Amino acid sequence: MKVSGRKTGSALSHAPDNWYAVDWRRVERNVRGMQIRIAKATREGDWRKVKALQRMLTRTLSAKLYAVRRVTQNQGARTAGVDRELWDSPERRWEAIGRLERRGYKPLPLRRVFIPKANGKERPLGIPTMRDRAMQALYLLALEPVTESTSDQNSYGFRLNRSTADAMSQIFVVMSHRVSAQWVMEADIKGCFDHINHDWLENHVPMDREILRKWLKAGLIYKGQLQATEAGTPQGGIISPTLANVTLNGLERELIAHLGAKFGIAKAKKLKVHVVRYADDFVITGDSREMLENDVRPWVEAFLAVRGLQLSEAKTRITHIGHGFDFLGWNFRKYSGKLLIKPSRKNVQTFYRKVAETISGNKAATQEGLILLLNPMLRGWAQYHSPVVAKQVYSRMEHLIFQRLWRWSKRRHPNKSADWVRKKYFHTVGERHWVFGAPVVAKDGSKWLLEMYRMSGTPIRRHKKVKGDFNPFDPQWEEYSEQLRQERMWVSTRYRKQWATLYMSQGGLCAHCGCALTDETGWHDHHLEYRMDGGTDALFNRVLLHPHCHQQVHAARLVVTKPALS
């Protein structure tokens, strides 16, 4: 097959002729290099160059390969759009590359589905076709370097290397001190994704305007009928979260500038106004209720109105930190002047209900099968809350789940005694009693106990917030990016094993200076080929260096050689 396109082959020196022949390291390096150039032009304010580089990137073979791989490897790869087409074979994926052309492109309508929300209502999703998803992924590659370079510092939703834990940590930073702001405006945007003004998006999103207009006006099909889309960007599209972020960018920056112009810079700082946003949820702090009501809220409403959005009257409120507020599944409240962050009551109840339904819905499952269903849920929820004050909640949740499991166990053997049921389903492991576990026989004949995940054993670790001006597309941040990755992956046992392998392969010595790596000296995980340039996380591309050696290597752009693995 011939991959069409006037310049599609220019990004790869040796263009592959099938899906299996693709050199993915070269693909990622080519895409990353173009994204770095786009981000640099954005920081310099050269918008003509940005547009030219974006156009160039979306026409390269590397970007099209990257886009097709993304949409065929994510969770939605098995969900078809209105054309019922899936790219479930290497041949189809390779054929799809030639269809990612701007000329003659016309997106098909979205397939409308509804998924349940925690409050009992339903959230509408629009499912694009595979081709439309790939086109969105392709143009997102060119848009993301621009949005990352122009976003508000304290915007954390749907951005690289940012998470809910970063938003939580920022709130702690601005509200934990004795002299911090005492009032918070909890803001909720009414149907954010469904009401964004299309004209505003077309005029302000830095991407191909014609392509964007086609996506926004594609329409949707529900119960066999075509419905027009006059506003909003549908939840379900790959590019939709970024479009929503672009819509709300400037909320923090422009609000601070507005207050500075109105009250003066010195007085504006004393107002203690800080904005922390995650996607379309945000909170704004202030030193008084009156200031938030009379100055901040009207400005926010005007800011949103231009974009076709409005605040929800029922869910937007101004609260004193002494009474507490909920944000992203956590409750923030000061007790006798000390800020404590705990899992919110609503989040705990929702999670327990989910676990209880899983247990009651699997009455006939084996104990091993039930544990395999529960463990990912328990581990994920416990690790989400591991940066906050959650030990008491973990213990309470384990007690409630134990009661459910005890009823589940007794129901299976109504004619057996409680002691018999206990011995069959619960075990003693070390000093721990009543451990819900199933004996398992491995393929080699060895026996071991499959235990239910123990939430109370999850260590509580304070989350280190990402720096506000960190840009993953700026080579100057490469060293910080590596350190950030190392710190956040250290909690994973898998990565501890990888660092142990690197340590042993280097004989416990720094790959740059040859001196010993110890707990006192510390170490950094260095990529031989920078991740900014498309380098992978594979062991062959990584070495351990002293922190000061790491700084020296980056500052002087020194070449480090990889010791041979023993």
Side-chain angles (χ1 to χ4, degrees):
M1 170 200 164
K2 179 181 178 181
V3 179
S4 63
R6 293 167 296 283
K7 297 183 180 181
T8 53
S10 60
L12 295 175
S13 57
H14 301 287
D17 56 3
N18 65 80
W19 187 258
Y20 291 117
V22 176
D23 183 350
W24 290 109
R25 288 185 62 194
R26 183 180 294 275
V27 165
E28 292 179 6
R29 183 164 59 247
N30 290 339
V31 171
R32 193 71 175 179
M34 288 294 295
Q35 289 180 317
I36 290 173
R37 292 176 63 188
I38 293 172
K40 182 175 183 292
T42 302
R43 294 192 301 274
E44 295 172 349
D46 191 345
W47 294 105
R48 178 174 295 181
K49 187 175 181 180
V50 168
K51 188 175 181 179
L53 290 171
Q54 286 182 319
R55 186 187 306 114
M56 189 185 304
L57 176 59
T58 56
R59 293 180 179 181
T60 62
L61 175 58
S62 291
K64 294 179 180 181
L65 285 165
Y66 198 101
V68 171
R69 186 180 68 168
R70 174 173 179 176
V71 301
T72 55
Q73 289 186 351
N74 61 19
Q75 293 183 347
R78 291 177 291 181
T79 305
V82 294
D83 61 354
R84 301 298 177 181
E85 179 182 351
L86 292 176
W87 296 345
D88 51 4
S89 69
E91 293 75 20
R92 288 192 174 186
R93 294 169 191 167
W94 184 250
E95 181 183 359
I97 297 167
R99 299 169 57 193
L100 301 186
E101 293 288 344
R102 182 182 186 278
R103 179 178 295 177
Y105 171 66
K106 184 178 180 180
L108 293 176
L110 306 169
R111 182 163 69 92
R112 171 57 59 92
V113 296
F114 291 87
I115 59 173
K117 296 172 62 174
N119 59 8
K121 298 181 180 180
E122 290 185 323
R123 184 191 307 278
L125 288 183
I127 309 298
T129 64
M130 292 298 294
R131 185 192 181 197
D132 295 335
R133 270 177 261 178
M135 286 291 285
Q136 289 187 18
L138 177 64
Y139 280 84
L140 180 59
L141 290 174
L143 176 61
E144 213 165 27
V146 182
T147 58
E148 280 294 328
S149 302
T150 56
S151 291
D152 291 332
Q153 285 196 349
N154 293 306
S155 163
Y156 299 99
F158 304 112
R159 293 182 62 193
L160 297 173
N161 300 107
R162 284 170 168 79
S163 65
T164 54
D166 290 307
M168 175 270 295
S169 298
Q170 177 62 17
I171 294 177
F172 184 85
V173 167
V174 300
M175 300 202 73
S176 60
H177 303 292
R178 183 178 58 84
V179 295
S180 297
Q182 298 296 305
W183 292 89
V184 178
M185 185 176 90
E186 307 170 63
D188 184 271
I189 300 176
K190 187 176 181 180
C192 177
F193 282 84
D194 297 329
H195 296 99
I196 301 176
N197 184 280
H198 283 181
D199 291 335
W200 190 95
L201 286 173
E202 292 176 20
N203 292 326
H204 292 85
V205 177
M207 65 168 289
D208 189 310
R209 183 179 297 185
E210 182 179 345
I211 292 292
L212 177 59
R213 183 185 301 114
K214 288 181 178 179
W215 286 335
L216 296 176
K217 302 299 184 182
L220 56 89
I221 291 181
Y222 181 58
K223 293 184 177 180
Q225 294 189 351
L226 177 65
Q227 301 177 7
T229 48
E230 301 298 335
T233 172
Q235 297 185 64
I238 289 177
I239 205 170
S240 295
T242 302
L243 296 180
N245 267 341
V246 173
T247 304
L248 297 177
N249 274 341
L251 178 65
E252 175 186 4
R253 182 173 57 251
E254 294 178 23
L255 173 59
I256 300 301
H258 163 74
L259 294 175
K262 182 175 182 178
F263 298 104
I265 296 177
K267 185 176 180 181
K269 289 184 178 180
K270 295 180 180 180
L271 297 178
K272 302 172 184 176
V273 174
H274 298 277
V275 181
V276 180
R277 179 169 67 86
Y278 187 89
D280 59 335
D281 294 325
F282 61 93
V283 296
I284 302 177
T285 67
D287 70 335
S288 69
R289 183 186 191 99
E290 292 72 21
M291 186 271 299
L292 290 175
E293 283 183 344
N294 301 328
D295 297 307
V296 172
R297 178 162 181 168
W299 184 90
V300 171
E301 290 175 339
F303 175 90
L304 296 176
V306 174
R307 293 152 174 80
L309 304 174
Q310 60 180 350
L311 293 174
S312 169
E313 291 293 336
K315 297 181 180 179
T316 300
R317 59 181 68 88
I318 298 175
T319 311
H320 192 274
I321 190 61
H323 296 143
F325 66 95
D326 291 348
F327 186 60
L328 302 176
W330 291 299
N331 177 261
F332 300 77
R333 183 178 177 184
K334 275 192 174 180
Y335 299 83
S336 302
K338 183 177 182 180
L339 179 64
L340 294 182
I341 307 173
K342 303 178 181 180
S344 69
R345 182 189 298 268
K346 180 180 178 182
N347 182 274
V348 172
Q349 291 175 343
T350 300
F351 176 71
Y352 173 67
R353 192 181 308 117
K354 181 180 178 182
V355 173
E357 290 173 356
T358 301
I359 296 173
S360 62
N362 289 273
K363 295 183 176 68
T366 63
Q367 185 182 17
E368 178 183 350
L370 182 61
I371 292 175
L372 291 175
L373 283 174
L374 291 176
N375 274 358
M377 298 166 54
L378 303 179
R379 183 182 296 108
W381 186 78
Q383 290 182 351
Y384 181 82
H385 293 295
S386 62
V388 304
V389 183
K391 280 291 186 181
Q392 186 176 358
V393 175
Y394 288 161
S395 298
R396 174 62 177 166
M397 184 63 66
E398 283 187 341
H399 174 69
L400 294 174
I401 294 175
F402 165 77
Q403 292 179 324
R404 284 280 180 173
L405 293 174
W406 178 246
R407 290 198 293 269
W408 179 88
S409 303
K410 287 185 65 178
R411 181 188 177 280
R412 296 166 70 86
H413 307 280
N415 298 324
K416 297 291 186 178
S417 66
D419 188 57
W420 186 94
V421 173
R422 178 184 63 80
K423 291 179 179 179
K424 179 172 177 60
Y425 292 101
F426 297 87
H427 305 266
T428 298
V429 179
E431 297 182 355
R432 295 166 52 217
H433 305 289
W434 291 88
V435 176
F436 191 71
V440 177
V441 179
K443 292 182 180 180
D444 59 1
S446 61
K447 298 181 180 179
W448 57 286
L449 185 69
L450 175 64
E451 302 178 29
M452 191 181 74
Y453 181 78
R454 186 165 66 102
M455 290 184 290
S456 58
T458 304
I460 302 297
R461 293 188 178 93
R462 176 65 59 83
H463 180 81
K464 185 175 181 180
K465 188 183 80 70
V466 65
K467 292 184 178 179
D469 51 354
F470 168 61
N471 187 341
F473 298 103
D474 186 348
Q476 294 184 359
W477 288 94
E478 175 69 21
E479 182 183 351
Y480 174 78
S481 177
E482 289 179 334
Q483 294 177 7
L484 182 69
R485 173 186 169 278
Q486 175 176 319
E487 292 168 356
R488 295 191 173 184
M489 287 186 172
W490 178 245
V491 298
S492 170
T493 304
R494 178 166 68 93
Y495 286 96
R496 293 187 193 181
K497 292 179 179 178
Q498 289 186 3
W499 286 321
T501 300
L502 290 174
Y503 180 87
M504 296 299 293
S505 71
Q506 296 175 203
L509 304 177
C510 172
H512 176 60
C513 70
C515 297
L517 295 164
T518 66
D519 289 337
E520 292 183 359
T521 65
W523 63 84
H524 283 178
D525 190 350
H526 173 70
H527 289 69
L528 301 178
E529 182 180 4
Y530 290 176
R531 297 177 73 238
M532 294 282 183
D533 298 332
T536 71
D537 290 334
L539 289 178
F540 65 75
N541 191 48
R542 291 156 54 193
V543 292
L544 299 180
L545 306 176
H546 289 127
H548 59 275
C549 290
H550 195 199
Q551 295 171 1
Q552 182 182 355
V553 166
H554 277 279
R557 304 290 290 186
L558 302 177
V559 176
V560 180
T561 58
K562 175 72 175 177
L565 288 173
S566 57

